[in-house]
Amino acid sequence: MPSLPTLTVLLPLLSLAGLFYSASVDETFPQGCTSTSSLCFYSLLLPVTVPVYVFFHLWTWMGIKLFRHN
């Protein structure tokens, strides 16, 4: 099992790579999801937002921990 820092870096990168792969290669990828008024846009935005939020939340937490102990 990979460590927490490794997962913190790999999870957002894999999510982003999967989204780029789907957008560029997959023919069944929803077209026309660029309008912010469509539900399709938010269904694609949410899976990307969650790992990025977790990454930066843990990054900030680790920074605060290191700042307090040094």
Side-chain angles (χ1 to χ4, degrees), residues 10-25:
L10 285 180
L11 187 64
L13 291 177
L14 289 174
S15 297
L16 191 60
L19 182 68
F20 283 147
Y21 170 78
S22 295
S24 62
V25 175

Side-chain angles (χ1 to χ4, degrees), residues 28-60:
T28 61
F29 189 77
Q31 299 298 320
C33 287
T34 56
S35 172
T36 57
S37 62
S38 71
L39 183 62
C40 178
F41 176 79
Y42 293 104
S43 69
L44 296 174
L45 182 65
L46 186 63
V48 173
T49 304
V50 171
V52 169
Y53 170 76
V54 169
F55 173 78
F56 282 108
H57 180 75
L58 289 175
W59 185 272
T60 303

